[in-house]
Amino acid sequence: MKRLSLKRWRKPKPDDVPVRLPFSDIMEFAMALLSISPHELRALGLTFAHRKRLLDHMLACGRAAEGIEPNKLTTKQIELRLPKGDLARLQHFAVRELAKAASNAAVIDRVLTALDEAWHQHERPSHAACSGEQSSPS
């Protein structure tokens, strides 16, 4: 029974939003999330359950990185699938707290850009859905 519930939990849901980042940025983001105090966590409107769920998503992408050569982890894009509500929480966290913990400004820029792109991609319906056209294979 437990195995069945784990498979169901891992299965991507329709409202999951894909975020693509280098594995090293995902791990740095996870470390920043771990480094904030309980007081700072509450100030961001997050609970320990929120943080645990966000970290679970980030650490799960480690399985996708297992087959990648270590020297390529800084550039290889890994897809992190997040529920839309968690995406909003991560954007809020990144804007307010990531600058305090990130090792360099490029990490902050990449994370914020990836989160913004994922948010806008999820919000914007596809062209075919808007126009009622169906794409035909050519």
Side-chain angles (χ1 to χ4, degrees), residues 68-106:
I68 300 171
E69 294 179 35
N71 61 343
K72 294 184 179 180
L73 284 176
T74 57
T75 57
K76 177 74 174 167
Q77 296 283 311
I78 304 287
E79 186 175 272
L80 176 65
R81 296 197 61 87
L82 298 167
K84 188 175 178 184
D86 286 343
L87 181 66
R89 287 183 183 95
L90 279 177
Q91 283 179 308
H92 184 73
F93 168 77
V95 168
R96 295 202 42 204
E97 298 294 325
L98 188 57
K100 297 176 187 175
S103 62
N104 63 52

Side-chain angles (χ1 to χ4, degrees), residues 26-37:
I26 294 170
M27 290 299 106
E28 189 156 349
F29 200 12
M31 294 299 293
L33 192 56
L34 274 171
S35 72
I36 61 174
S37 71

Side-chain angles (χ1 to χ4, degrees), residues 9 23 26-31 33-34 51-66 78-82 90:
W9 179 77
F23 180 73
I26 294 170
M27 290 299 106
E28 189 156 349
F29 200 12
M31 294 299 293
L33 192 56
L34 274 171
R51 176 164 53 186
K52 182 184 181 314
R53 187 176 55 254
L54 293 169
L55 289 169
D56 286 345
H57 288 295
M58 292 176 179
L59 294 175
C61 75
R63 280 183 235 119
E66 284 179 353
I78 304 287
E79 186 175 272
L80 176 65
R81 296 197 61 87
L82 298 167
L90 279 177

Side-chain angles (χ1 to χ4, degrees), residues 5-18:
S5 62
L6 285 175
K7 285 182 181 178
R8 190 177 320 132
W9 179 77
R10 286 187 211 139
K11 200 183 292 184
K13 296 178 179 67
D15 67 336
D16 283 356
V17 180

